[in-house]
Amino acid sequence: NVIGTNHLGANAVTADKIAADSITSAKIQAGAIKADHIAAGELTADKLAIGLGGNLLQNPIFANDGYGWKTMNKGSGLDSNTTFSFTQRSYLSTSIPWLDTENGVYIRASNNITSYSTVRVGFVYKLIKLNPESYYMFSAYCRAANCYGSLLVEEVNDSGAYVAGVARSNETSSTIINTLSSKGLTDDHRLYVKFKSPSTGLVRLGYFVSSTFANTTYQDADFLRPMLEECTQYTTQPSAWQNAGVTSIHGGSIVTNTITAQQIAANTITANEIATGAIAAKHIASGSISASHIVSKSLTSDKLNVATLSAISANMGSITAGSLNIASKFIVSSSGAVEIRGASGNVGMIIRNDRIDVYDASGNLKVRLGKLT
């Protein structure tokens, strides 16, 4: 009942002779399926077993003293003194191709533990908002000595307070203390953990160090090049590390006096980019504001401080005022009295609402019309 291959004619077995689902992966020779055997558009993200690429973390190279990253000393109950340094560790400099402005995080904790302990003594982390209930891969290059370190993902609330644990990676320990400096950034030192974000999408993720060995004078660890990428439920490993996909420029990234007028394109700064009250009088060139820059009827009397109106030559229209005094020769008081004086002396005329008085050059009353007393 056996039919050998010699009894089959060439091309005798066609697709209609093969039962559905009868060819398993074990029957397919490695490398036999090539790109030209796969129809265009048939490979979807859920068929890929690696991350989707693209680093979602801001400042994963810890430039400018780790801008955007936070640190936490969790040595409660211990005589602990944990320090965090954003630096290029000298013993790693020969094996790691540092990028411009790149740093690693060096964590150093010293205490007098006398018994085995798993208390967290140091944590460098970032708060981030993710798409709710979506899959992500978090990875980083790590090293630990006299302690253990793990990548940790925790759910937090709007205030950043702990809610629940989400995921934790495998650990690094002193068993690889020397290999990071000799081998550099290899997969041996890249921790990773896949997780599903909580319904709120709010997480705190980072690298924590726990003190686990008794009678040691210190624990230290390194945390380099973290990466967060979106992935699928089928993802098994992270993508190749890459820097942040979005360039973030902040105050610490800009060297003083490096941005001059020639770096700013014409018409690129609008009112929305100027903080209220940011432009003071000293920043406005004399004579640079003309009538075309002033909105009609926007100048009110409380904004004017004018000593003389001699420069104004215009039809004044209807003038409403409390009183009028022109060189003490023509005076209109607030009560309605009009006083007209000559060019010299006291000669003149005063008109009130009930009489008219006329004076000579000596100021003597000569004529009174109307109410006589």
Side-chain angles (χ1 to χ4, degrees):
N1 296 325
V2 177
I3 299 177
T5 56
N6 292 331
H7 296 90
L8 297 176
N11 302 317
V13 179
T14 57
D16 60 331
K17 305 297 190 299
I18 302 174
D21 302 321
S22 61
I23 298 180
T24 62
S25 59
K27 301 297 190 292
I28 301 174
Q29 183 180 1
I33 298 179
K34 298 181 172 56
D36 55 359
H37 296 112
I38 301 174
E42 285 299 305
L43 280 182
T44 55
D46 61 318
K47 304 301 188 296
L48 300 175
I50 62 172
L52 302 181
N55 197 343
L56 301 178
L57 294 176
Q58 181 195 39
N59 193 18
I61 62 173
F62 304 111
N64 301 298
D65 292 325
Y67 179 86
W69 290 84
K70 301 178 181 296
T71 58
M72 181 188 302
N73 183 343
K74 294 281 286 188
S76 176
L78 301 175
D79 180 13
S80 177
N81 180 22
T82 304
T83 59
F84 303 86
S85 303
F86 298 96
T87 182
Q88 293 184 4
R89 292 255 273 152
S90 58
Y91 93 102
L92 296 176
S93 296
T94 58
S95 60
I96 295 178
W98 298 100
L99 303 176
D100 290 343
T101 73
E102 180 181 9
N103 292 313
V105 183
Y106 174 47
I107 306 171
R108 180 69 180 258
S110 59
N111 54 52
N112 60 357
I113 297 175
T114 57
S115 62
Y116 181 89
S117 173
T118 57
V119 174
R120 186 187 308 176
V121 295
F123 189 27
V124 55
Y125 66 94
K126 178 182 285 290
L127 299 173
I128 190 169
K129 175 67 183 289
L130 303 174
N131 294 323
E133 299 183 346
S134 299
Y135 287 94
Y136 292 88
M137 180 72 74
F138 177 41
S139 60
Y141 294 93
C142 307
R143 165 202 165 272
N146 296 327
C147 58
Y148 284 99
S150 295
L151 300 181
L152 183 66
V153 182
E154 300 172 324
E155 181 183 0
V156 295
N157 59 24
D158 291 335
S159 301
Y162 174 86
V163 174
V166 175
R168 176 176 169 177
S169 75
N170 54 317
E171 298 175 322
T172 61
S173 72
S174 55
T175 57
I176 59 170
I177 181 173
N178 296 317
T179 54
L180 183 59
S181 59
S182 61
K183 295 183 179 180
L185 301 178
T186 68
D187 289 341
D188 293 339
H189 315 112
R190 193 180 190 191
L191 300 183
Y192 58 87
V193 57
K194 184 178 72 175
F195 66 94
K196 187 177 182 180
S197 60
S199 58
T200 61
L202 298 172
V203 298
R204 174 171 59 194
L205 51 81
Y207 182 62
F208 83 90
V209 175
S210 59
S211 179
T212 57
F213 302 121
N215 300 316
T216 58
T217 58
Y218 70 89
Q219 295 80 40
D220 66 10
D222 292 285
F223 179 48
L224 296 89
R225 296 192 177 183
M227 179 170 173
L228 178 67
E229 57 184 312
E230 196 170 2
C231 67
T232 75
Q233 59 181 314
Y234 305 103
T235 301
T236 60
Q237 57 186 302
S239 303
W241 183 86
Q242 59 181 283
N243 206 344
V246 177
T247 301
S248 178
I249 298 178
H250 50 83
S253 302
I254 303 173
V255 178
T256 303
N257 299 323
T258 58
I259 297 182
T260 60
Q262 62 182 352
Q263 271 81 51
I264 304 174
N267 303 318
T268 58
I269 298 181
T270 64
N272 294 330
E273 276 70 49
I274 302 174
T276 302
I279 299 180
K282 65 181 181 180
H283 300 118
I284 302 174
S286 176
S288 62
I289 298 180
S290 62
S292 60
H293 298 107
I294 301 174
V295 177
S296 177
K297 300 179 181 179
S298 63
L299 287 180
T300 56
S301 59
D302 61 319
K303 303 299 189 297
L304 298 175
N305 183 6
V306 182
T308 175
L309 295 178
S310 60
I312 297 178
S313 177
N315 182 353
M316 304 298 290
S318 177
I319 299 177
T320 301
S323 61
L324 178 65
N325 187 331
I326 302 177
S328 296
K329 301 302 180 184
F330 182 81
I331 302 172
V332 180
S333 69
S334 58
S335 62
V338 178
E339 183 176 342
I340 303 173
R341 296 289 183 180
S344 62
N346 293 319
V347 64
M349 178 173 60
I350 297 177
I351 303 175
R352 295 182 174 86
N353 58 353
D354 57 354
R355 73 185 182 200
I356 299 174
D357 295 333
V358 180
Y359 297 87
D360 62 14
S362 298
N364 299 314
L365 179 63
K366 291 299 183 181
V367 177
R368 172 168 288 175
L369 301 178
K371 188 176 180 180
L372 300 180
T373 60

Short mmCIF file of all heavy atoms in Angstrom, two decimals, residues 324-354:
data_model
loop_
_atom_site.label_atom_id
_atom_site.label_comp_id
_atom_site.label_asym_id
_atom_site.label_seq_id
_atom_site.Cartn_x
_atom_site.Cartn_y
_atom_site.Cartn_z
N LEU A 324 -12.52 125.83 29.67
CA LEU A 324 -11.60 126.15 28.58
C LEU A 324 -10.84 127.41 28.96
O LEU A 324 -11.43 128.39 29.40
CB LEU A 324 -12.37 126.36 27.27
CG LEU A 324 -11.55 126.75 26.04
CD1 LEU A 324 -10.60 125.62 25.66
CD2 LEU A 324 -12.48 127.09 24.87
N ASN A 325 -9.53 127.39 28.80
CA ASN A 325 -8.70 128.55 29.12
C ASN A 325 -7.64 128.68 28.05
O ASN A 325 -6.77 127.83 27.93
CB ASN A 325 -8.05 128.38 30.50
CG ASN A 325 -7.31 129.64 30.94
OD1 ASN A 325 -6.80 130.42 30.13
ND2 ASN A 325 -7.23 129.83 32.25
N ILE A 326 -7.74 129.75 27.25
CA ILE A 326 -6.76 130.01 26.20
C ILE A 326 -5.93 131.21 26.61
O ILE A 326 -6.38 132.37 26.51
CB ILE A 326 -7.44 130.24 24.85
CG1 ILE A 326 -8.30 129.03 24.46
CG2 ILE A 326 -6.41 130.53 23.76
CD1 ILE A 326 -9.07 129.20 23.17
N ALA A 327 -4.73 130.95 27.11
CA ALA A 327 -3.75 131.97 27.50
C ALA A 327 -4.34 133.01 28.44
O ALA A 327 -3.93 134.17 28.41
CB ALA A 327 -3.19 132.63 26.25
N SER A 328 -5.31 132.64 29.24
CA SER A 328 -5.98 133.55 30.19
C SER A 328 -6.63 134.74 29.49
O SER A 328 -6.93 135.75 30.13
CB SER A 328 -4.99 134.05 31.25
OG SER A 328 -4.52 132.98 32.04
N LYS A 329 -6.84 134.65 28.18
CA LYS A 329 -7.48 135.72 27.42
C LYS A 329 -8.91 135.35 27.02
O LYS A 329 -9.78 136.22 26.88
CB LYS A 329 -6.69 136.04 26.15
CG LYS A 329 -5.24 136.48 26.43
CD LYS A 329 -5.18 137.72 27.33
CE LYS A 329 -3.77 138.16 27.60
NZ LYS A 329 -3.70 139.30 28.55
N PHE A 330 -9.10 134.05 26.85
CA PHE A 330 -10.46 133.60 26.52
C PHE A 330 -10.73 132.42 27.43
O PHE A 330 -10.12 131.35 27.31
CB PHE A 330 -10.57 133.19 25.06
CG PHE A 330 -11.96 132.76 24.66
CD1 PHE A 330 -12.92 133.71 24.34
CD2 PHE A 330 -12.31 131.41 24.63
CE1 PHE A 330 -14.20 133.32 23.99
CE2 PHE A 330 -13.59 131.03 24.28
CZ PHE A 330 -14.54 131.99 23.95
N ILE A 331 -11.67 132.64 28.39
CA ILE A 331 -11.92 131.63 29.41
C ILE A 331 -13.40 131.31 29.43
O ILE A 331 -14.25 132.21 29.44
CB ILE A 331 -11.48 132.14 30.80
CG1 ILE A 331 -9.98 132.50 30.78
CG2 ILE A 331 -11.77 131.10 31.88
CD1 ILE A 331 -9.51 133.18 32.06
N VAL A 332 -13.70 130.03 29.43
CA VAL A 332 -15.06 129.55 29.61
C VAL A 332 -15.04 128.68 30.85
O VAL A 332 -14.36 127.64 30.89
CB VAL A 332 -15.58 128.76 28.41
CG1 VAL A 332 -17.00 128.28 28.66
CG2 VAL A 332 -15.52 129.60 27.14
N SER A 333 -15.76 129.09 31.91
CA SER A 333 -15.76 128.33 33.16
C SER A 333 -16.77 127.19 33.08
O SER A 333 -17.61 127.14 32.17
CB SER A 333 -16.10 129.24 34.33
OG SER A 333 -17.45 129.66 34.23
N SER A 334 -16.69 126.28 34.04
CA SER A 334 -17.61 125.14 34.07
C SER A 334 -19.04 125.56 34.35
O SER A 334 -19.99 124.84 34.05
CB SER A 334 -17.15 124.12 35.14
OG SER A 334 -17.10 124.75 36.41
N SER A 335 -19.22 126.81 34.90
CA SER A 335 -20.58 127.30 35.17
C SER A 335 -21.20 127.99 33.95
O SER A 335 -22.35 128.40 33.98
CB SER A 335 -20.56 128.28 36.35
OG SER A 335 -19.75 129.41 36.03
N GLY A 336 -20.40 128.17 32.87
CA GLY A 336 -20.93 128.78 31.65
C GLY A 336 -20.54 130.21 31.44
O GLY A 336 -20.91 130.81 30.42
N ALA A 337 -19.80 130.82 32.39
CA ALA A 337 -19.38 132.21 32.23
C ALA A 337 -18.26 132.31 31.19
O ALA A 337 -17.38 131.45 31.14
CB ALA A 337 -18.90 132.76 33.55
N VAL A 338 -18.32 133.40 30.38
CA VAL A 338 -17.31 133.63 29.34
C VAL A 338 -16.56 134.90 29.67
O VAL A 338 -17.17 135.95 29.90
CB VAL A 338 -17.96 133.73 27.94
CG1 VAL A 338 -16.89 134.02 26.89
CG2 VAL A 338 -18.72 132.45 27.61
N GLU A 339 -15.21 134.82 29.68
CA GLU A 339 -14.38 135.98 29.98
C GLU A 339 -13.47 136.24 28.80
O GLU A 339 -12.74 135.34 28.36
CB GLU A 339 -13.57 135.72 31.25
CG GLU A 339 -12.73 136.91 31.68
CD GLU A 339 -12.02 136.67 33.00
OE1 GLU A 339 -12.42 135.73 33.75
OE2 GLU A 339 -11.05 137.40 33.27
N ILE A 340 -13.52 137.51 28.28
CA ILE A 340 -12.69 137.88 27.13
C ILE A 340 -11.84 139.06 27.54
O ILE A 340 -12.35 140.10 27.96
CB ILE A 340 -13.56 138.25 25.91
CG1 ILE A 340 -14.50 137.09 25.55
CG2 ILE A 340 -12.68 138.62 24.72
CD1 ILE A 340 -15.50 137.42 24.46
N ARG A 341 -10.52 138.93 27.44
CA ARG A 341 -9.60 139.99 27.84
C ARG A 341 -8.84 140.50 26.62
O ARG A 341 -8.63 139.79 25.64
CB ARG A 341 -8.59 139.46 28.86
CG ARG A 341 -9.20 139.02 30.18
CD ARG A 341 -9.67 140.22 30.99
NE ARG A 341 -10.20 139.80 32.30
CZ ARG A 341 -10.67 140.64 33.20
NH1 ARG A 341 -10.69 141.93 32.94
NH2 ARG A 341 -11.14 140.17 34.36
N GLY A 342 -8.36 141.75 26.74
CA GLY A 342 -7.56 142.35 25.69
C GLY A 342 -6.15 141.82 25.71
O GLY A 342 -5.73 141.06 26.59
N ALA A 343 -5.34 142.30 24.72
CA ALA A 343 -3.96 141.84 24.61
C ALA A 343 -3.13 142.31 25.78
O ALA A 343 -2.15 141.69 26.14
CB ALA A 343 -3.35 142.31 23.29
N SER A 344 -3.49 143.46 26.42
CA SER A 344 -2.73 143.97 27.56
C SER A 344 -3.70 144.59 28.55
O SER A 344 -4.82 144.96 28.20
CB SER A 344 -1.70 144.99 27.10
OG SER A 344 -2.33 146.10 26.49
N GLY A 345 -3.27 144.73 29.80
CA GLY A 345 -4.10 145.35 30.82
C GLY A 345 -5.28 144.49 31.19
O GLY A 345 -5.35 143.31 30.88
N ASN A 346 -6.23 145.13 31.87
CA ASN A 346 -7.41 144.41 32.33
C ASN A 346 -8.64 144.65 31.48
O ASN A 346 -9.73 144.24 31.87
CB ASN A 346 -7.71 144.81 33.78
CG ASN A 346 -6.63 144.32 34.74
OD1 ASN A 346 -6.15 143.21 34.60
ND2 ASN A 346 -6.26 145.18 35.70
N VAL A 347 -8.47 145.40 30.38
CA VAL A 347 -9.62 145.67 29.54
C VAL A 347 -10.20 144.36 29.03
O VAL A 347 -9.48 143.44 28.67
CB VAL A 347 -9.24 146.59 28.35
CG1 VAL A 347 -8.23 145.92 27.43
CG2 VAL A 347 -10.47 147.01 27.58
N GLY A 348 -11.54 144.33 29.06
CA GLY A 348 -12.16 143.11 28.57
C GLY A 348 -13.62 143.03 28.94
O GLY A 348 -14.21 143.98 29.46
N MET A 349 -14.20 141.89 28.70
CA MET A 349 -15.63 141.70 28.90
C MET A 349 -15.86 140.33 29.51
O MET A 349 -15.24 139.34 29.11
CB MET A 349 -16.36 141.82 27.56
CG MET A 349 -17.87 141.60 27.65
SD MET A 349 -18.70 141.95 26.08
CE MET A 349 -17.87 140.77 25.01
N ILE A 350 -16.80 140.30 30.49
CA ILE A 350 -17.19 139.03 31.12
C ILE A 350 -18.67 138.82 30.88
O ILE A 350 -19.49 139.70 31.19
CB ILE A 350 -16.89 139.06 32.62
CG1 ILE A 350 -15.38 139.21 32.88
CG2 ILE A 350 -17.39 137.77 33.29
CD1 ILE A 350 -15.03 139.32 34.35
N ILE A 351 -19.00 137.70 30.31
CA ILE A 351 -20.40 137.39 29.98
C ILE A 351 -20.84 136.26 30.89
O ILE A 351 -20.26 135.16 30.88
CB ILE A 351 -20.54 136.97 28.52
CG1 ILE A 351 -20.01 138.08 27.59
CG2 ILE A 351 -21.99 136.63 28.20
CD1 ILE A 351 -20.00 137.68 26.14
N ARG A 352 -21.90 136.54 31.69
CA ARG A 352 -22.50 135.51 32.53
C ARG A 352 -23.91 135.23 32.02
O ARG A 352 -24.38 135.90 31.10
CB ARG A 352 -22.53 135.98 33.99
CG ARG A 352 -21.12 136.16 34.60
CD ARG A 352 -21.23 136.57 36.07
NE ARG A 352 -19.92 136.62 36.72
CZ ARG A 352 -19.12 137.67 36.70
NH1 ARG A 352 -19.50 138.79 36.06
NH2 ARG A 352 -17.94 137.64 37.31
N ASN A 353 -24.56 134.28 32.64
CA ASN A 353 -25.90 133.94 32.13
C ASN A 353 -26.95 135.00 32.45
O ASN A 353 -28.05 134.99 31.91
CB ASN A 353 -26.36 132.60 32.71
CG ASN A 353 -26.39 132.59 34.23
OD1 ASN A 353 -25.96 133.55 34.87
ND2 ASN A 353 -26.91 131.51 34.80
N ASP A 354 -26.61 135.98 33.37
CA ASP A 354 -27.61 137.01 33.70
C ASP A 354 -27.15 138.43 33.45
O ASP A 354 -27.90 139.38 33.65
CB ASP A 354 -28.05 136.85 35.17
CG ASP A 354 -26.88 136.94 36.14
OD1 ASP A 354 -25.72 137.01 35.66
OD2 ASP A 354 -27.11 136.91 37.37
#
